[in-house]
Amino acid sequence: MSETKTANTKILVVDDEPDIRDLLAMTLRRMKLNVETVGSIVEAKKCLANHDYQLCLTDMRLPDGTGLELIQFIQETQRKLPVAMITAYGNLELAIEALKRGAFDFLTKPLDVERLRGLVATALRLDQLAEASYDGSLKLLGNSASMQQLREQIQKVSRSQAPVYISGESGSGKEVVARLIHASGPRNSSPFVPVNCGAIPLELMESEFFGHVKGSFTGAYDHKKGLFEAANGGTLFLDEVADLPLVMQVKLLRAIQEKSVRKVGSNEEIPIDVRILSATHKELAAEVEAQRFRNDLFYRINVIEMKVPPLRQRRDGVPLLIEYLLDKLANNWSISKPSIESNALQALKDYDFPGNVRELENVLERAVTLCEKNTIALGDLQLQNNSATTQVAASSESVSSTDDDPSIAFGRLDDYLAEIEKRVLLAALDKCRWNRSAAAELLGISFRQMRYRLAKLNIEE
């Protein structure tokens, strides 16, 4: 931050304890920032009416009200002004309530000076963000009311540090939303680290998330940085967070609350500064009800919920997505952009896409591979028109048909069985709207077996 920038930056501190006010003012002035301190809501409102501020820090308990009231007032009168709450240590419920009401972030007493500096630096970067800091036309395509609302939500939550839970069906674009939140916020110059919580073996989870020191267990030949450290200063995206085992949920909750991690084999706490975004295709509230997901962790990561609509509820975006994905394929494969016949385009518009955007991308990749003269015809799409149940039955019938004519598999038994297995897996996934856990249950196999089979047959997850 330049001298000129800081010289024009003014921070409002609202706290009725002189010692806290002095500590905050001294720390901020050492950052070459202008500081004004007051001890009540009435004084704060007068200052806000007469001056422009780039950040407000407010205590929770004030002589004439609460910091929550001041946050509400700022949201109603100066929505773009970031305000951070200062709460007593352990009062997490109030901190979360402050975030829900629009607070940028929170600090706990006793104040950690380094965390204060980090919070202030992040908040002041909001001024450097353009009004529209991402090009949604490339990612969130469509003009339906649900998509317009989603864009507005992204713009709003990107200015906060509150944890966001992104819900939606598999393949609907939850990671895209997470990346846009990161790219639109003050952490956009720092790492965005995505992790699929369902893809990490249980015995490696703690090491993956928190890192380990050399010699801490068999195979730990060197020090390793964990995902939290890798995302320090940026955003950690926990995809399929509902797949975390309960024992790991406890450790994750502690890391989020304490804003520090301890590597496997170490006694040292490492401070971390990350924003947590999470997502799952499962109903997380139902997982809590079934006692498969901790209520306290759910409460902590679900401060703000965003719903990504399935593709069938935003059909107006399908033609735009097709154009975008065909451009992408042409660029990636170094070919001229394929065209698409009108009846094929209409079929895609009418299709429900149980696998959402991911399925559309897979359909187009297959069609581009199969099409003649670089033009996609209806038959190239190979859309699944029958119900998933019919497909499973048909696949089963095709297996039994080998009893009548076993020669069909002569010389290609492995390939033939793989084709049957792939059809059955795709049918089960379609029936369960690409919910892998439900598809595995339908087929009578474990979730890990399902993952293995999908990987073996190159079926996109």
Side-chain angles (χ1 to χ4, degrees), residues 123-139:
L124 295 182
R125 281 198 292 272
L126 287 170
D127 261 0
Q128 302 169 20
L129 298 175
E131 184 67 27
S133 50
Y134 69 88
D135 184 358
S137 65
L138 293 178
K139 296 292 182 180

Side-chain angles (χ1 to χ4, degrees), residues 240-275:
E240 299 301 348
V241 69
D243 289 343
L244 283 173
L246 287 169
V247 64
M248 193 62 205
Q249 291 177 29
V250 177
K251 295 174 180 178
L252 179 64
L253 176 63
R254 184 185 180 280
I256 294 172
Q257 291 186 169
E258 300 297 324
K259 296 188 176 181
S260 64
V261 297
R262 181 183 298 171
K263 291 188 176 186
V264 176
S266 173
N267 293 321
E268 180 185 356
E269 291 281 341
I270 302 172
I272 47 97
D273 170 29
V274 298
R275 185 180 189 183

